Amino acid sequence: MTGGTQSSETSNEPPNYDLIKEWRSIVTLVVFVIANVVVLFPFHIPIYIPRKLYHAFLDLLGTLRIIPQRVPDTLDHGSQHSGHASRNPITATPFVRLNLSMNIVTAPLIADLFLLAILAIGRKEVKEGTLGANNISPLDIMLFFISLAYIAISIDASGVIRYLAFKVLQWGGEVGHRLFFYLYLFWFALTSFVGNDPVILSGTAFLAYMTRVSSNIVHPRAWIYSQFATANIASAILVSSNPTNLVLAGAFEIKFIEYTANMIVPVIITGIVLFPFLLYIVFNDESLVPRSIKMHELPEEARTRKPRSSTPSWDRKGAAFGAVIMAATLIAVLALNAATTKKGAIPVFYVTLPAAVVMFAWDVAFGWIHRHETREIARKGREEVERLRLEREMQDEEEKAALAAQEAQRTASSDGSASAQSALPTGGLKVRKSVVCATTDDEITTAGCTREKSLTQEVGDAESNREKPPGTKIPQKSQLQQGRERTTLVSLAKDAYRWSQETFPTATAVMSHLPFALVPFAFSMFVLVQALVTKGWVQIFARGWDAWVRKTGTIGAIGGMGFLSVILCNFSGTNIGTTILLSRVIQAWRTIHRFDHTDISNRTFWATVYTMALGVNYGAFSTAFSASLAGLLWRDILAKKHIHVRRLDFARVNLPIIAIAMTVGCVVLIGEVWIMRDESPIDLR
């Protein structure tokens, strides 16, 4: 993080406790709380727009060739355009309902805009909440996070995670507890050097594959929660392992090596104590961690089958190159910090951003070199999809023809209808079977019906087409595909994206999975936290903290900060926002003592700082996904792998884990500061 002197509101001016009496300060605190509640519990706000105005806007976009021309809605004119008479025409409502999502992106942004509108915040808060102040730079943190995330996702896109999933299962053997232990050590060691975000991004997909190929792991709960907790515990060791550590080290001008020396013992002992607690208490269930794991064996045909996706299934060169880039980046970050002085500190994204550019260039070059192969794979995939679509349309036409024939025969005479029913062709029986099939589960039975049709299509399509009566309608492509659509901005974007997928599959896949949506959320929350600083609430919080420490001493400081840091991770804009807020509180606490001409002991001050480091790392696995950016990514990746974790389940499972982890970490930290620190006063300048 960039160095610099402390800002005036915490260092050069005495605390002003009267600021919170202004109505804008009160509104700022209320808006901050409401925004975080909405992040925890998102919802939709209905917005009603006049239908004519809505359609006029769509028609304008269609005229400008931004979107395709709007197809006239049958509701606009009753049933006259529906193609058949309707006994009960549906009358269109005069308004169109649109939903405004109040979620992790929109809620903090709207809160910032509201505070700007009432002049509660201004240019100063926005600048300091984005560019940074007092050694804390949110822009540096986001650039560091996104660039490192690109490298990690690119490694995942190379297919190495799927490869390692089978290798780890084979290495762990059939003993479930041994495999659980191996993976626990693997996540802990990897996070200690690489960081929690890459491990969450890649390791979550790893476990999704592993539990899927294991036949007797009923639910992946034990594996995914243990990995998430372990990654966030081990991320407290190195400053580069978590953006929160960067905030904390910058705020108190801590050298990376000094930070690691103070954190490594509490973190390692937490990991040692937590493992048996997870295995034998929290997840002590054969359906979660079986004693013997059975693995699905793929048939030879499946192992040799060509991939249908345009992304290579296992790119050894890409995985190796990505691993080298990641290792070199982290080593360079550590070396840069060790060689940097306080006055000439260089932002860490100066290292990670060029590394991400190099990784992106590799992905683009690899895609261009192999573009013929990937385009051929994509072409075959499109042909397969088109063939299945035509089969389904032909099946639908046969169903309609059979139903029409049955309806005509039911209107005939009773004697004639009985003989006619017995004379129906065998195709009618097939159609009736497919109709029954279509009324059951869509995903499973549709595939089954389609497969039944595809087995006979190659030998029977030509004959069936010749035998059709002249009036039978042969299925063609859909109406939109019969004629070439007008070229629009949307169609051009779709074509460009498809071309990019086929030509640069890895780079396109990685860019589409980068957590760009988290960037506006983070910056908005940074601005909200900065608003609390300038409105005087941080000074009030610091005064309350000072009163607590005066009564409880060093042990109370450790216990209180441990509790506060974990709780606030869920309500202060992820653990990054919590780190910024609490860092400013501790800085204001130091300012209070300077103007009061009182001392803070070395033991108490650094116990508070390093307890906060434990809390903001461990607090990621507490009660809410939004407690950390990694938690939000973890949830989204699991959802893409069809593993859906509910909010209540997340809190319920993590509660005993965070309780034991924080208890062990704080107890060890108490012993450490009593041995390593003394009661001499710190420098309050």
Side-chain angles (χ1 to χ4, degrees):
M1 311 305 295
T2 55
T5 58
Q6 295 182 349
S7 59
S8 59
E9 67 265 22
T10 60
S11 296
N12 300 327
E13 296 179 1
N16 185 1
Y17 304 113
D18 293 331
L19 289 175
I20 64 169
K21 297 180 181 179
E22 298 178 1
W23 68 271
R24 287 188 178 90
S25 295
I26 299 174
V27 171
T28 300
L29 181 62
V30 172
V31 169
F32 177 82
V33 173
I34 293 175
N36 283 280
V37 171
V38 174
V39 169
L40 287 173
F41 306 102
F43 61 93
H44 298 281
I45 297 178
I47 299 177
Y48 293 93
I49 300 176
R51 184 175 294 273
K52 292 184 178 180
L53 178 63
Y54 177 71
H55 286 170
F57 179 70
L58 294 182
D59 292 337
L60 176 62
L61 295 180
T63 303
L64 297 176
R65 303 185 75 167
I66 297 176
I67 64 173
Q69 284 286 353
R70 181 177 64 89
V71 178
D73 194 350
T74 57
L75 296 178
D76 294 340
H77 309 287
S79 60
Q80 57 182 342
H81 297 295
S82 61
H84 57 82
S86 177
R87 297 180 181 178
N88 298 310
I90 302 176
T91 304
T93 59
F95 294 95
V96 175
R97 173 175 173 171
L98 302 178
N99 290 323
L100 173 63
S101 297
M102 298 295 293
N103 53 29
I104 190 172
V105 176
T106 57
L109 181 60
I110 292 175
D112 287 337
L113 295 176
F114 176 76
L115 293 179
L116 283 169
I118 66 172
L119 302 180
I121 61 175
R123 178 179 178 275
K124 180 176 184 293
E125 287 80 6
V126 174
K127 179 181 178 181
E128 293 180 349
T130 52
L131 299 181
N134 201 22
N135 301 330
I136 299 173
S137 177
L139 180 61
D140 292 3
I141 295 169
M142 286 296 100
L143 288 173
F144 172 83
F145 174 75
I146 292 296
S147 56
L148 204 61
Y150 182 91
I151 301 173
I153 299 176
S154 180
I155 295 173
D156 182 29
S158 68
V160 65
I161 299 302
R162 292 186 293 272
Y163 175 78
L164 289 178
F166 285 96
K167 288 298 181 182
V168 170
L169 279 176
Q170 294 171 358
W171 185 35
E174 299 180 354
V175 182
H177 290 190
R178 182 172 62 188
L179 178 61
F180 191 81
F181 176 67
Y182 284 170
L183 285 175
Y184 187 88
L185 286 180
F186 177 70
W187 301 135
F188 198 96
L190 190 62
T191 306
S192 300
F193 295 99
V194 179
N196 68 337
D197 289 322
V199 169
I200 295 300
L201 290 167
S202 300
T204 305
F206 179 106
L207 292 175
Y209 286 117
M210 192 203 75
T211 54
R212 189 177 303 161
V213 301
S214 302
S215 60
N216 62 335
I217 296 180
V218 178
H219 196 283
R221 182 187 306 120
W223 307 87
I224 59 177
Y225 279 98
S226 298
Q227 175 247 4
F228 186 64
T230 306
N232 285 285
I233 290 172
S235 67
I237 295 179
L238 293 181
V239 173
S240 59
S241 297
N242 196 327
T244 59
N245 304 339
L246 293 168
V247 175
L248 188 144
F252 302 104
E253 301 178 337
I254 305 173
K255 284 290 186 180
F256 287 8
I257 189 67
E258 180 184 350
Y259 173 91
T260 300
N262 284 275
M263 294 296 297
I264 190 169
V265 174
V267 171
I268 289 181
I269 294 181
T270 300
I272 294 174
V273 174
L274 185 63
F275 172 75
F277 182 80
L278 293 174
L279 182 59
Y280 298 112
I281 298 179
V282 179
F283 303 121
N284 187 18
D285 191 327
E286 276 291 312
S287 64
L288 301 178
V289 186
R291 294 185 178 275
S292 177
I293 294 181
K294 298 178 181 178
M295 176 178 168
H296 288 298
E297 290 290 341
L298 291 177
E300 185 65 27
E301 178 185 358
R303 286 196 293 265
T304 59
R305 184 184 303 161
K306 284 285 187 179
R308 291 183 180 178
S309 171
S310 59
T311 304
S313 58
W314 171 220
D315 174 21
R316 290 175 174 82
K317 294 181 180 179
F321 185 81
V324 171
I325 290 292
M326 178 69 80
T329 301
L330 296 175
I331 293 173
V333 167
L334 293 174
L336 181 67
N337 177 260
T340 301
T341 61
K342 293 183 179 180
K343 294 184 179 181
I346 300 176
V348 289
F349 78 87
Y350 280 19
V351 175
T352 59
L353 187 58
V357 172
V358 171
M359 193 73 232
F360 176 75
W362 169 276
D363 293 336
V364 170
F366 182 87
W368 182 255
I369 293 172
H370 297 85
R371 64 188 184 279
H372 300 297
E373 177 185 351
T374 55
R375 287 174 179 175
E376 179 65 18
I377 295 173
R379 184 187 63 80
K380 291 181 179 179
R382 288 196 303 271
E383 290 178 353
E384 179 71 11
V385 171
E386 182 67 14
R387 185 181 67 82
L388 294 176
R389 185 190 65 80
L390 290 175
E391 288 179 1
R392 185 62 182 271
E393 288 187 358
M394 184 173 292
Q395 187 180 32
D396 293 341
E397 291 293 335
E398 290 178 354
E399 292 174 3
K400 292 178 182 178
L403 292 175
Q406 292 174 3
E407 182 68 21
Q409 291 177 3
R410 278 196 294 267
T411 58
S413 61
S414 58
D415 294 338
S417 64
S419 60
Q421 289 286 348
S422 62
L424 277 175
T426 56
L429 294 177
K430 284 187 177 182
V431 170
R432 291 180 62 187
K433 179 179 179 181
S434 62
V435 170
V436 174
C437 182
T439 59
T440 59
D441 185 83
D442 291 339
E443 182 179 357
I444 298 176
T445 58
T446 298
C449 297
T450 303
R451 179 172 177 81
E452 180 184 1
K453 181 70 178 80
S454 63
L455 290 175
T456 60
Q457 175 153 358
E458 293 183 357
V459 295
D461 277 355
E463 291 295 327
S464 62
N465 288 337
R466 283 200 303 266
E467 293 174 0
K468 286 183 182 292
T472 304
K473 182 179 179 181
I474 299 176
Q476 302 292 334
K477 292 185 177 182
S478 61
Q479 182 178 0
L480 292 176
Q481 293 176 335
Q482 286 180 356
R484 177 67 178 172
E485 292 185 15
R486 288 199 319 163
T487 301
T488 63
L489 184 62
V490 172
S491 66
L492 288 175
K494 289 181 179 179
D495 292 341
Y497 184 72
R498 187 177 67 178
W499 177 85
S500 178
Q501 283 183 311
E502 297 174 2
T503 308
F504 311 110
T506 302
T508 305
V510 175
M511 293 298 293
S512 65
H513 286 86
L514 280 178
F516 289 120
L518 299 179
V519 175
F521 159 73
F523 279 124
S524 300
M525 292 306 304
F526 289 143
V527 173
L528 284 177
V529 171
Q530 193 64 26
L532 296 180
V533 174
T534 58
K535 292 305 173 185
W537 289 108
V538 165
Q539 288 86 344
I540 295 297
F541 300 155
R543 176 61 70 182
W545 174 252
D546 182 59
W548 169 263
V549 174
R550 288 178 186 272
K551 291 185 177 181
T552 60
T554 302
I555 294 179
I558 292 176
M561 184 54 68
F563 178 80
L564 280 177
S565 56
V566 171
I567 294 299
L568 288 179
C569 283
N570 301 277
F571 299 100
S572 296
T574 76
N575 53 358
I576 297 178
T578 298
T579 308
I580 294 177
L581 177 61
L582 291 179
S583 295
R584 300 306 295 270
V585 169
I586 296 175
Q587 289 171 342
W589 175 43
R590 188 164 56 183
T591 302
I592 289 173
H593 277 266
R594 186 169 79 249
F595 282 97
D596 289 347
H597 303 288
T598 56
D599 295 327
I600 304 176
S601 71
N602 187 287
R603 177 178 293 160
T604 301
F605 180 80
W606 290 111
T608 301
V609 171
Y610 288 114
T611 303
M612 181 179 70
L614 286 177
V616 295
N617 280 276
Y618 293 10
F621 56 95
S622 50
T623 61
F625 297 112
S626 59
S628 68
L629 298 176
L632 298 170
L633 291 175
W634 182 78
R635 179 196 62 185
D636 293 341
I637 293 172
L638 287 175
K640 291 176 183 178
K641 303 299 181 182
H642 309 289
I643 301 174
H644 300 281
V645 180
R646 297 182 301 176
R647 287 193 298 263
L648 291 178
D649 290 339
F650 184 80
R652 178 180 57 83
V653 175
N654 279 325
L655 186 60
I657 302 176
I658 185 63
I660 188 65
M662 281 303 298
T663 300
V664 173
C666 290
V667 168
V668 175
L669 190 60
I670 290 174
E672 180 180 281
V673 296
W674 239 267
I675 297 173
M676 304 299 297
R677 304 284 177 176
D678 55 27
E679 291 293 334
S680 62
I682 64 169
D683 185 3
L684 297 175
R685 291 177 297 176

